[in-house]
Amino acid sequence: MPSTPQIRRPAVSDPLAPVVRNRRTVLKAGATLLLSVFAPLPAFAAQILAVRVWPADDYTRVTLENDAELKTTHFMVKDPERMVVDIEGLELNPTLKGLVAKIQSNDPYIKQVRVGQNRPNVVRLVFDLKEEIKPQVFTLAPAGAYKHRLIFDLYPVKEADPIAAMIEEGNWTTGEKAAPPAGAAQPAQPPIAVQPTPQDQLQALKPDIKAEPRAELREQVKTAEAQTRPPAKGGKADKLERIITIALDPGHGGEDPGASGRNGSREKDIVLAIAKRLKGKLEAIPNIRVMLTRDGDYFVPLGKRVEKARKVQADLFVSIHADAFVQPTARGSSVFALSEKGASSSAARWLADKENEADTIGGVNVRSHDKQLASVLLDLSTTAQINDSLKLGKSVLAEIGGINRLHKGSVEQAGFAVLKAPDIPSILIETAFISNPEEEAKLRDENYQNQMADAIVKGIRTYFARNPPLARNRLT
């Protein structure tokens, strides 16, 4: 039987095949695009913009300013003492390498620093230390003219005793002083009269109170009270040795330059120079000792300034500043005291807000900031302290008016954080407007700095003449 021939049918192409292929292509491309959206972008290393080192006896601060927030880990190594810091997301650049040259031989805590690329995207810093330290490592968000900052604060394990440090400067019980710096010699000045406390006088009578007749007891109490009064005008005060401690607070410092003048003057430099002159003049008066909240170019938080004054049991707190305003025509000196009920003027409020920003600019480690202390200082600020501050401010303002125009003829009040010691009369002096070209020139002039210091000394003496300090202890 003959085979049936097979009929070859022409292949019919699937009309949907191109569509399926096209759809697969589109889906594949879409999936690729979707994955690329969610895939991590390649990491870009942060850039170190500046490095700064602020050595001081209180602590040494190292600042790395950068264009993005940095993540760090650190650990301590013994024998010899070292601090090792790894910074992620960072590539070594010439600015960071320059940190090595920033370490000075007289730095109290850092011997040297080594910088290297530990591994890709991680830079390692090794601080070779001169002694054991307590480090604080933290970051600061952009503030003022600064971008992101990475801060290393190196504190000594054993903090210095501020009273012991002052005693080393001279024999305070006899009024003999250490030799003043060159050019700071002052004529001998009479001591400030001291008012014994009624409590001290009456305490001496206490053991014999029961044995004495009422009339004789009243006479003894009357005598004790009479001895507490200031001597009559022209009279001679009984000799009573009493160390008077004055805390001088040069504003700003370190990371916080304060205001600046047209010719490049920085507030932090001007006020430190005036404070040092003032210290020498005050210590020329027998039985007065002076503590500077900072004696160099480094930052001290506002609360720490108050704490330092309280640690040395200061009788007065005088904060020294050089004002600035948006208009260069503003001029004149001012004196401020604390206010419990708001600022005495909008200008005083504006200035207090600006000065209170110092912690933001200078850089405070929020995690270690003693918020409870700040609250206590605020709550315990008393009417009596403010009244004494106003008296002190009035005396100082009257003397400053003799050497410079006054911005306002009375003591102003506002909520300055640095004036909140509850038990210390405290004032803030704006010596002049550094933003005014004429007054900037004055502030830079050594003669004006001396005149300003002399005026403040006279104001303090006038205050004590009218408000003798209470006797506390012959040795403290």
Side-chain angles (χ1 to χ4, degrees), residues 221-426:
V221 172
K222 184 177 180 181
T223 301
E225 290 176 344
Q227 291 176 349
T228 67
R229 300 191 189 103
K233 189 174 182 180
K236 185 176 181 181
D238 292 336
K239 183 178 180 182
L240 177 62
E241 287 185 358
R242 152 81 149 87
I243 303 301
I244 296 173
T245 304
I246 299 176
L248 298 181
D249 174 48
H252 309 282
E255 288 286 290
D256 176 21
S260 59
R262 182 180 297 178
N263 293 316
S265 305
R266 299 183 301 183
E267 181 180 6
K268 67 175 182 177
D269 301 325
I270 297 291
V271 298
L272 180 60
I274 293 175
K276 287 183 174 180
R277 294 178 187 278
L278 178 55
K279 180 178 186 290
K281 294 174 185 293
L282 284 170
E283 290 186 338
I285 304 172
N287 292 326
I288 283 189
R289 63 186 179 189
V290 176
M291 185 272 294
L292 292 174
T293 58
R294 69 175 179 95
D295 57 5
D297 188 11
Y298 57 97
F299 177 70
V300 181
L302 299 176
K304 187 69 174 178
R305 296 168 189 260
V306 177
E307 182 184 333
K308 282 187 169 189
R310 301 193 75 206
K311 277 186 176 180
V312 299
Q313 300 179 18
D315 295 284
L316 298 180
F317 181 92
V318 180
S319 191
I320 303 171
H321 293 255
D323 208 351
F325 194 63
V326 292
Q327 297 294 335
T329 53
R331 61 182 301 170
S333 302
S334 306
V335 176
F336 295 85
L338 184 65
S339 171
E340 284 184 306
K341 301 178 181 179
S344 56
S345 69
S346 57
R349 183 184 303 108
W350 177 85
L351 181 63
D353 290 342
K354 184 171 70 70
E355 296 294 0
N356 291 344
E357 289 178 352
D359 280 354
T360 303
I361 305 297
V364 173
N365 184 3
V366 178
R367 287 174 295 177
S368 67
H369 192 53
D370 195 339
K371 294 181 180 180
Q372 183 178 2
L373 172 63
S375 174
V376 168
L377 294 182
L378 178 63
D379 295 340
L380 293 182
S381 295
T382 63
T383 301
Q385 183 262 18
I386 292 176
N387 286 340
D388 284 340
S389 300
L390 289 170
K391 293 176 184 177
L392 172 62
K394 184 177 180 180
S395 297
V396 171
L397 190 68
E399 297 296 338
I400 292 178
I403 66 165
N404 192 36
R405 174 180 175 178
L406 296 180
H407 187 66
K408 191 170 182 179
S410 60
V411 179
E412 295 205 70
Q413 293 180 261
F416 291 90
V418 79
L419 300 182
K420 292 184 178 179
D423 46 2
I424 306 173
S426 304

Side-chain angles (χ1 to χ4, degrees), residues 153-197:
D153 284 347
L154 279 57
Y155 289 90
V157 170
K158 184 178 180 181
E159 295 184 8
D161 182 344
I163 293 181
M166 286 192 296
I167 291 175
E168 287 180 4
E169 295 183 6
N171 187 342
W172 301 106
T173 60
T174 64
E176 296 175 3
K177 304 294 178 185
Q186 300 294 325
Q189 299 189 45
I192 290 174
V194 178
Q195 177 180 357
T197 62

